[in-house]
Amino acid sequence: GENVEQHPSTLSVQEGDSAVIKCTYSDSASNYFPWYKQELGKGPQLIIDIRSNVGEKKDQRIAVTLNKTAKHFSLHITETQPEDSAVYFCAASLSSGDKLTFGTGTRLAVRP
Amino acid sequence: GAVVSQHPSRVICKSGTSVKIECRSLDFQATTMFWYRQFPKQSLMLMATSNEGSKATYEQGVEKDKFLINHASLTLSTLTVTSAHPEDSSFYICSARDFFAEQYFGPGTRLTVT
């Protein structure tokens, strides 16, 4: 089955700096790679996703890159704000409607 | 956007009792729903895939007789934890897939077994 590794497990940045979180996956059949933000006591919230036919996708301060050959994808958050502080999970699946395999999570802290 | 609700948001039950958690798609029909479990400071782990009108498919290591899943309608799936024990205490999260194969997560249910 699919295995998703995520690094780093914790990340602390100064407000305004950039944050980068990286994930690798094992199943070359995976085609859908979403990123979720989870705040304490809440369900995961989709913040951006990318499909295998695209190498990069951007939405305001958030971007995701995908390297299918190397089987890794990354989340980039620019101009970080204190409200970006949360746990971020990457995930992989065959398609957007299939079961997801999650990474281990990254706890991001943005220092004011 | 599509909304998925869970009820209750948190529940405390005594060891040995059963508890039911509901997952509803409020503004769309969901032929498939997924149930995940998340222990404190850990990732989400898929427990089972629930298809409307058929038996759920459980992931390896998940006891189907302990975690009963019923998907009786296109907007409701239920997870019943039978004979709950303290080690079943966890955050249970469902997701629902819409007609366009997009997946939406519920807010989660915190189960505490005393």
Side-chain angles (χ1 to χ4, degrees):
Chain A
E2 176 66 275
N3 182 52
V4 179
E5 295 187 355
Q6 183 172 346
H7 299 281
S9 57
T10 60
L11 180 60
S12 180
V13 300
Q14 192 70 39
E15 180 178 0
D17 288 349
S18 296
V20 180
I21 304 171
K22 299 181 178 182
C23 287
T24 60
Y25 62 98
S26 62
D27 190 349
S28 57
S30 291
N31 286 305
Y32 177 66
F33 309 93
W35 285 89
Y36 293 89
K37 176 182 180 182
Q38 187 178 31
E39 298 177 337
L40 190 62
K42 297 183 178 181
Q45 175 190 3
L46 178 69
I47 57 172
I48 196 166
D49 58 14
I50 191 167
R51 289 169 170 79
S52 60
N53 58 346
V54 177
E56 184 175 357
K57 184 176 178 180
K58 189 174 182 180
D59 183 4
Q60 299 183 346
R61 296 186 298 110
I62 296 173
V64 57
T65 58
L66 170 66
N67 183 327
K68 278 224 78 176
T69 303
K71 287 190 274 187
H72 66 70
F73 56 112
S74 300
L75 176 71
H76 304 252
I77 305 175
T78 59
E79 301 173 24
T80 53
Q81 302 166 3
E83 50 265 38
D84 293 329
S85 296
V87 179
Y88 291 81
F89 290 97
C90 63
S93 69
L94 295 177
S95 70
S96 59
D98 280 311
K99 60 182 182 180
L100 292 161
T101 300
F102 283 84
T104 47
T106 297
R107 185 171 301 276
L108 173 64
V110 180
R111 305 186 304 273
Chain B
V3 178
V4 176
S5 70
Q6 286 185 238
H7 179 79
S9 58
R10 54 179 62 227
V11 57
I12 301 172
C13 69
K14 291 187 176 181
S15 186
T17 63
S18 296
V19 61
K20 180 184 288 187
I21 301 170
E22 295 184 346
C23 177
R24 292 182 184 273
S25 56
L26 297 186
D27 49 3
F28 66 97
Q29 293 183 330
T31 55
T32 300
M33 291 184 176
F34 302 95
W35 286 95
Y36 296 85
R37 179 168 55 183
Q38 184 178 33
F39 292 109
K41 296 187 177 181
Q42 293 189 24
S43 187
L44 287 78
M45 299 297 293
L46 180 68
M47 299 176 65
T49 301
S50 168
N51 293 300
E52 187 267 336
S54 64
K55 290 184 178 180
T57 303
Y58 291 82
E59 294 298 301
Q60 190 173 7
V62 177
E63 300 175 62
K64 62 181 180 180
D65 294 331
K66 181 170 183 63
F67 299 99
L68 301 179
I69 292 173
N70 186 297
H71 194 156
S73 79
L74 287 172
T75 59
L76 174 65
S77 175
T78 60
L79 168 67
T80 301
V81 183
T82 63
S83 185
H85 291 286
E87 55 264 33
D88 298 324
S89 298
S90 188
F91 195 47
Y92 292 87
I93 306 169
C94 72
S95 69
R97 181 171 74 190
D98 70 4
F99 176 79
F100 301 100
E102 297 295 331
Q103 195 171 156
Y104 302 93
F105 280 85
T109 296
R110 172 76 58 194
L111 170 63
T112 302
V113 184
T114 62

